[in-house]
Structures are given as C-alpha cells and as structure tokens.
Amino acid sequence: MSKLLILGAGGHGKVVAEAAMLTRMWNEIAFLDNKIDQSYVMDVPVVGSFDSYLEHIQDYSNAFVALGNNHKRLLWIEKLKHAGYTIPVIIHPTSILSKYCRIEHGTVVLANAVINPSVEISEGCIINTASSVDHDSKLDKGVHVSPGVNISGTVSIGSYSWLGVGAKIANNISVGSNVIIAAGATVISDVPNNVMVAGVPAKIKKNLGDEH
C-alpha cells in the first residue's frame, strides 16, 4: 500500500479520486489544486497548490494528473515523472478490460467503460464513464474519450484529440492529432489533424491550428 497525490480537485479530479479509492490500491489520497479554497474535497485533503509538488514526494510516491486539458495533463505528467513520482494507471472496478489490451501510465479508465482485445492506449488518456473502445484500436497520448463515446474496431486516434460526449467512430477510421469531435457526432470517414468535426455524418466545421 502507498499514498497517491492527485493534481486537480475539480469535477474530473473528484471522479478520479473516487475511482482510486475504489481500487483500494492506496491507503491515503490527497489533492493539489490552485483554485479550490477549502481544506477537503470529498473527505480528501487538499495539501497544497500544483507548484508544491516537489514538497510532497517524500510522503506520496505516486502521483496522478486529473486535468481535463489534454496538453496541460501531459505537461504535468512529464514534470512529475522527472521529479521521481510513479505515475499509475487508475482503473475503476466496474470497467471491463480485456487482458489483451495495453494501457500506459497516467491513463484513467472510469466506471462502466469497456476496452476490448488488442487495444493500445498511450499515456495520459481519459477513458470516461460508459465509453467503449473496440478491438485493435490505438489511442495516442493525451486523448480524452468523453462519457458514452463508442470507438469501433481498428480505429486510430492521434495525440491530444478530444471526443465529445456520445460521439461514435465507425470501423477502420483514422482520426488525426489535436482534433475535436463534437458531442453526438458520427464519424464515418478519416479526420485530418487540427480540425473540429460535428454532425451526422461528421464534417469539418473549423480549423484549429497546431493546438487547442
């Protein structure tokens, strides 16, 4: 048993913290947060701001980044790794994961999500509530899969992309990096880098530049 430090005590941080509690892997959990002006969130202590992370490494050997912004999440994961923290994977006990899938550090898999065989999920991803990733699909680093998203088989999704709530991706589709797929969109053709798509079927609505 060890202690876990979670960066971010907002809405996503609460969900991550509860999932971590339910795993029973850590005997103590604490938050760092810059905006929460209270000493406890959900009975979990807030022990400092983000910039105090170096002060806590002796007490908390594990740290996890619970930020919704994909780029900030990956930047903080790198900072924590460099400082010497172990970055775990957090898997809600009600999720269903194939023993043949691979999930890298800093990723959270939340309640009732399903990940099927030969799926590869890179570091720092969010696989949110009741979403699914089907066989042979690959998600690059920093991808956020929102609640209720369905990713079909043999789909690839590039780094830092965000799939909005209830979006659906058809089989054999390639989605680029830094893409936003709007809530409820149905993607039936490949999506290039740095765009937002929306609609049924999904079409490009906006160019986003190199980051969003």
Side-chain angles (χ1 to χ4, degrees), residues 7 10 38 41 57 72 114 123 130 151-152 155 157 190 202 209-210:
L7 274 71
Q38 58 195 77
V41 172
I57 192 166
K72 288 182 180 178
V114 178
E123 66 176 317
I151 299 171
S152 299
V155 168
I157 299 176
D190 291 351
D210 292 336

Side-chain angles (χ1 to χ4, degrees), residues 83-128:
Y85 285 98
T86 297
I87 313 297
V89 174
I90 295 177
I91 298 173
H92 194 286
T94 66
S95 61
I96 301 173
L97 275 65
S98 168
K99 67 178 182 179
Y100 302 107
C101 72
R102 180 174 64 83
I103 300 175
E104 294 187 6
H105 64 272
T107 288
V108 63
V109 181
L110 292 171
N112 296 317
V114 178
I115 299 176
N116 278 324
S118 300
V119 168
E120 297 180 11
I121 298 176
S122 297
E123 66 176 317
C125 292
I126 300 171
I127 311 300
N128 225 314

Side-chain angles (χ1 to χ4, degrees), residues 33-111:
D33 197 275
N34 291 339
K35 297 179 180 179
I36 302 295
D37 186 22
Q38 58 195 77
S39 56
Y40 284 84
V41 172
M42 287 191 338
D43 299 323
V44 177
V46 181
V47 297
S49 65
F50 288 1
D51 288 340
S52 71
Y53 71 100
L54 291 173
E55 301 171 16
H56 299 283
I57 192 166
Q58 298 302 319
D59 294 323
Y60 297 89
S61 58
N62 290 255
F64 194 89
V65 184
L67 299 177
N69 182 291
N70 293 337
H71 288 273
K72 288 182 180 178
R73 188 167 63 255
L74 268 292
L75 285 171
W76 272 105
I77 287 173
E78 289 306 308
K79 283 186 181 183
L80 295 172
K81 284 166 57 180
H82 183 74
Y85 285 98
T86 297
I87 313 297
V89 174
I90 295 177
I91 298 173
H92 194 286
T94 66
S95 61
I96 301 173
L97 275 65
S98 168
K99 67 178 182 179
Y100 302 107
C101 72
R102 180 174 64 83
I103 300 175
E104 294 187 6
H105 64 272
T107 288
V108 63
V109 181
L110 292 171

